[in-house]
Amino acid sequence: MDSGKLKLISKILNEVAEDLVFRYYEEKKEAETGLMTGKSGASLYLFHYSKYSKNEKYKKYAQTLLEEVFEDINSGKYYSPFCGGLAGVCWTIIHLVENGFIHKENLEVLDELDDYLNKSMNDFISQNYFDFLHGASGIAYYFSKKAERNPASTSKYLEYYVKKLNEYAVYNETDGTAKIISNIYDADSKPVKVFNLSLSHGISSLVIVLSSIKKTIGFSEELDRLINGFINFIIINKNISKTDNNSLYPGTVPLTSQRKNIAVPSRLGWCYGDIGNGYAFISGASVNGSKSYLYNTKAEEIFLNLQKRKEPSLQAINDAGICHGSAGMVCMSRSLNELYKQNVYKDLEDYWIDITLEFYNRKNGLDGFSRFINNEYEYDISFLSGTTGVAMSLLTSIDSKTAKSNWQKLLLIT
């Protein structure tokens, strides 16, 4: 990376840190507790940035934010989902302990929260709501993270999750597929039932969560049936034809799908798009040796196609945020480069860094990282859609220690 670009990134990282300090401490901004939406995510970034910049000031602010998070927990100011709630907060605490930012004694509070999280997960399950960001699967993902340290602590919760997901899944024994019904919302904000393939809310996230569970609590026939069935469902819905700048797979499949010889494009991004399907294939391959060649081949086909999809406006990339913007592509390109060690992915990472910096330069400041929503730009400091996540992505590209911390697993990527 040339010195001019590195200097600009370093400037941005500091501006984001200072902006978080200003908004949370000088403006006394009221904020959610959550990882993707609030104080936990800001604390995570400030801890990492403090280590990179060797500035203890930001570590102190990160610690203060985390103390506020614990106060919110003690006062009952929380709800459960991974995106904005307690499951993501608890995941963050484990991550910070594992990376030496806070003492392991902080893990003691997690055991006290298991019953609440399990009850909430079961409530979501009873509604057939297995969404990763906002429903049962995000909580199960946190439980699988906790099980890495102590399998006995959450194994019964995870076994129940797998059992009920197996009951809700719709199997087709003829083609070996499994699928599960989800809701999306149309242009009039009305719910529409579909089979959702996405990483944020759909089947791809379920494959990765289930693979994580298998790694922590071991083999079961139900786990393998679900993982392979979900992957098979994605594979058989591959677009029959496509253009070079389109995805290989659709984002959703209608309940009564009639396949035609047309491409059904999906956006490029973390939240939706076939790059998430690729991560699901990799994850499934890691826990099923007999299928590993097939799944890895399907994944690499998706990832190599990314070099043809480099026009942001054609890929619905209108902002810099991780969720559906260029910083998400920086994260994923970085992880692919680490996985495959191929120049094509390093080139992709550099390309999407440049696009991210272009967003910044349009406004000559952090306003350039505003979130695009409802055809308007709105300033956002969150991890998922705003400046915190953009900064974390850029920091990962210039600092190997941050890259090796495994924070990207909160996004279900390696």
Side-chain angles (χ1 to χ4, degrees), residues 20-29 46 60-66 68:
L20 291 175
V21 170
F22 174 78
R23 292 174 184 274
Y24 282 119
Y25 295 102
E26 294 187 30
E27 283 192 342
K28 304 296 183 184
K29 176 182 175 63
L46 289 172
K60 291 177 182 178
Y61 282 119
Q63 289 171 329
T64 302
L65 266 181
L66 196 62
E68 291 182 11

Side-chain angles (χ1 to χ4, degrees), residues 8-22:
L8 178 56
I9 290 174
S10 296
K11 179 175 181 284
I12 290 169
L13 299 180
N14 185 256
E15 286 182 359
V16 171
E18 286 293 321
D19 188 56
L20 291 175
V21 170
F22 174 78

Side-chain angles (χ1 to χ4, degrees), residues 14 44 121 154 158 186 257 260 305 321 393 397:
N14 185 256
L44 188 152
M121 183 178 73
T154 60
L158 293 171
D186 63 17
S257 177
K260 298 179 181 179
N305 187 53
S393 174
S397 287

Side-chain angles (χ1 to χ4, degrees), residues 182-186 188-194:
S182 300
N183 280 330
I184 60 171
Y185 293 88
D186 63 17
D188 298 318
S189 298
K190 294 180 180 179
V192 178
K193 293 187 182 301
V194 297

Side-chain angles (χ1 to χ4, degrees), residues 176-236:
T177 63
K179 53 196 176 185
I180 193 161
I181 296 172
S182 300
N183 280 330
I184 60 171
Y185 293 88
D186 63 17
D188 298 318
S189 298
K190 294 180 180 179
V192 178
K193 293 187 182 301
V194 297
F195 300 117
N196 192 329
L197 306 187
S198 75
L199 190 59
S200 53
H201 306 292
I203 286 174
S204 288
S205 62
L206 298 186
V207 171
I208 296 171
V209 171
L210 290 166
S211 299
S212 179
I213 291 171
K214 184 173 179 180
K215 290 174 183 177
T216 54
I217 69 170
F219 169 82
S220 80
E221 290 186 6
E222 289 176 333
L223 267 170
D224 276 1
R225 189 182 187 208
L226 285 164
I227 292 169
N228 294 326
F230 285 145
I231 291 177
N232 288 341
F233 183 71
I234 297 172
I235 290 173
I236 70 165

